[in-house]
Amino acid sequence: MSQDFATSPEHFWMPFTANRQFKASPRLLERAEGMYYTASDGRQVLDGTAGLWCCNAGHGRREISEAVSKQIARMDFAPTFQMGHPLPFELAETLAAISPEGLNRVFFTNSGSESADTALKIALAYQRAIGQGSRTRLIGRELAYHGVGFGGMSVGGMANNRRAFGPMLPGVDHLPHTLDLQRNAFSKGLPQHGVERADELERLVTLHGAENIAAVIVEPMSGSAGVILPPVGYLQRLREITAKHGILLIFDEVITGFGRVGEAFAAQRWGVTPDILTCAKGLTNGAIPMGAVAVREEIYDTIVEAAPEGAVEFFHGYTYSAHPVACAAALAALGIYEKEKLFERAARLSGPFLDAVYSLRDCGLVTDIRGIGMIAGFDVAPGDTPGARGAELQKRLFANGLHVKFTGDTGIVAPPFVIEEDEIGEIISILRATLDELA
């Protein structure tokens, strides 16, 4: 523990953290390289969750740090309100080239939360631009996570993220989640049962009227809720229903984007193209905060052409939208993904990775495992208080040399794509030993 932390830990209000417990027994990281963090006591900690699903190319990538250093020395900041600089135009073209076909207009944000709120506003603006101003309702899904802005919280469906903050946005409804442990326990890949849950959207259309619904937003795979996968045919059915009723479909790919499920985006892995797609995290390999929203060209053209010549067409944006240093980091990260074929590597590693994680099935505390690509979630039997066992496991895993993210009593394993098979084995060995400690 550093001297400064020892004397003044109270000033930093930590996000999504039990502050009192953490500050009584801190877990501090001081360096990162490749697959490993170095803790403040000098121990090596294997990164089993790519930071927070961000660092797909591993840590300490010199290509990114050099691009950032060069750019911040050349130009540290430039406004993008009524002005511009070259990098976001280059980055948007590069991102469009790997995005699902047709999603070739890109709006830059600074996080997944901002991307979600931006996508919702684009959907509302588009419906208004085509003369469908009554379409103001938004449909989310139970157990969804779309960030912490009021828009994202409203369409999100994780109760702890909502209950302290009032009634949320009006006119929001939710589809049922797709977690079905009774029928789909220990499914590897997409579960076979549950496509009918997409048909709940037809019920909501009947209830609210299609003429009042602007958009449906879902994560193709719910990551923060514990790796909840879409049943076979589910996303295709949502696409059919939304298209039939003139409702925009938004995919939140903040976690699934940039190779996590074996393609650049989950939309491509599962053959379903939304109208709007959000991303962040892996866009810069976690090096600089940045997000993006990719939309169909027709959506962009409609909103832009609906405004008078010379007028601002979309009254939305952020001071740091397309920040030059973030753009430099993103271009470097995308360059690494392409040069090292990391999306293809993730697809190749998926088999041995999932086999290894599913080998934990015989651990006494493990009640379910779900996974696809390079991400897997495992549930552990809860203790007396929901989430307490998961929190204890995360502490013990860190002490045993492994970082794994827990959400409640679900551990999430999603390592960088530069991982080697022996390191996958190391993750599983530490997980097994630590689970046995608590059994």
Side-chain angles (χ1 to χ4, degrees):
M1 186 187 305
S2 70
Q3 182 70 23
D4 287 344
F5 187 90
T7 56
S8 58
E10 68 275 8
H11 299 296
F12 176 32
W13 189 344
M14 301 176 67
F16 281 110
T17 299
N19 277 251
R20 289 170 293 180
Q21 287 86 344
F22 180 91
K23 291 171 184 179
S25 181
R27 297 180 296 281
L28 299 179
L29 305 170
E30 292 198 347
R31 293 187 301 279
E33 185 73 24
M35 280 296 305
Y36 290 86
Y37 284 108
T38 301
S40 57
D41 58 6
R43 291 182 305 110
Q44 294 290 287
V45 178
L46 183 56
D47 185 1
T49 316
L52 278 176
W53 313 287
C54 301
C55 305
N56 297 347
H59 296 281
R61 296 305 304 243
R62 190 169 301 279
E63 303 95 321
I64 299 175
S65 61
E66 288 178 351
V68 165
S69 177
K70 181 178 178 180
Q71 179 56 46
I72 203 167
R74 178 183 178 89
M75 183 172 66
D76 54 351
F77 175 79
T80 51
F81 296 5
Q82 307 293 337
M83 298 186 71
H85 60 96
L87 291 181
F89 297 94
E90 179 184 355
L91 178 57
E93 182 178 8
T94 304
L95 186 56
I98 65 170
S99 295
E101 186 175 358
L103 302 187
N104 56 12
R105 297 294 184 267
V106 182
F107 194 104
F108 289 111
T109 70
N110 306 291
S111 68
S113 294
E114 289 183 0
S115 292
D117 279 18
T118 297
L120 298 175
K121 292 174 77 172
I122 289 172
L124 294 169
Y126 170 76
Q127 297 289 11
R128 185 179 181 91
I130 63 172
Q132 298 286 317
S134 66
R135 289 183 181 263
T136 58
R137 285 191 174 273
L138 302 167
I139 307 295
R141 188 169 60 188
E142 296 169 349
L143 296 183
Y145 180 76
H146 300 294
V148 295
F150 271 94
M153 282 195 303
S154 298
V155 293
M158 299 180 74
N160 285 340
N161 293 351
R162 296 162 52 93
R163 62 167 47 100
F165 307 113
M168 305 287 108
L169 297 182
V172 174
D173 212 331
H174 293 79
L175 294 164
H177 63 74
T178 62
L179 184 62
D180 186 343
L181 295 181
Q182 184 174 358
R183 295 191 294 172
N184 292 324
F186 293 98
S187 293
K188 186 185 292 186
L190 301 188
Q192 293 298 312
H193 304 286
V195 64
E196 70 279 358
R197 296 192 181 189
D199 292 328
E200 279 294 300
L201 182 54
E202 289 282 17
R203 185 185 66 80
L204 296 180
V205 168
T206 300
L207 175 64
H208 298 300
E211 71 279 7
N212 297 313
I213 302 174
V216 171
I217 181 170
V218 296
E219 300 156 281
M221 176 206 72
S222 296
S224 294
V227 190
I228 302 174
L229 291 160
V232 172
Y234 173 88
L235 296 175
Q236 286 82 355
R237 183 70 180 126
L238 282 185
R239 177 69 282 185
E240 291 168 4
I241 296 170
T242 52
K244 179 173 71 172
H245 293 293
I247 299 167
L248 296 183
L249 179 61
I250 304 169
F251 277 3
D252 184 332
E253 296 226 32
V254 170
I255 290 175
T256 53
F258 305 105
R260 183 54 60 186
V261 296
E263 294 276 357
F265 294 97
Q268 294 149 326
R269 171 71 191 266
W270 294 318
V272 180
T273 302
D275 301 293
I276 302 173
L277 181 149
T278 72
C279 62
K281 293 189 183 292
L283 176 57
T284 66
N285 199 50
I288 299 284
M290 192 178 206
V293 181
V295 306
R296 286 193 292 111
E297 182 176 346
E298 187 264 340
I299 292 175
Y300 168 86
D301 288 345
T302 299
I303 293 173
V304 168
E305 292 170 7
E309 183 67 31
V312 172
E313 302 99 354
F314 185 49
F315 281 83
H316 176 72
Y318 306 96
T319 298
Y320 301 117
S321 289
H323 191 287
V325 181
C327 288
L331 285 165
L334 295 179
I336 292 170
Y337 296 151
E338 170 59 26
K339 180 181 178 182
E340 299 184 8
K341 305 297 181 189
L342 288 185
F343 302 163
E344 294 86 346
R345 178 178 171 83
R348 289 197 307 272
L349 283 172
S350 176
F353 167 73
L354 292 175
D355 287 346
V357 176
Y358 276 78
S359 73
L360 298 171
R361 181 173 183 162
D362 61 359
C363 292
L365 289 180
V366 174
T367 60
D368 187 37
I369 301 174
R370 303 173 293 275
I372 199 164
M374 287 294 286
I375 185 167
F378 62 94
D379 295 341
V380 295
D384 295 335
T385 303
R389 178 161 281 156
E392 178 63 22
L393 268 170
Q394 188 167 27
K395 292 178 187 176
R396 293 196 184 202
L397 287 167
F398 181 81
N400 292 339
L402 177 64
H403 162 57
V404 166
K405 169 77 169 68
F406 272 78
T407 178
D409 290 309
T410 301
I412 301 174
V413 188
F417 307 153
V418 296
I419 194 170
E420 300 291 347
E421 290 198 35
D422 62 329
E423 292 166 329
I424 294 174
E426 185 179 353
I427 288 174
I428 301 308
S429 295
I430 296 172
L431 280 171
R432 182 176 291 278
T434 308
L435 287 164
D436 287 347
E437 287 178 14
L438 285 183

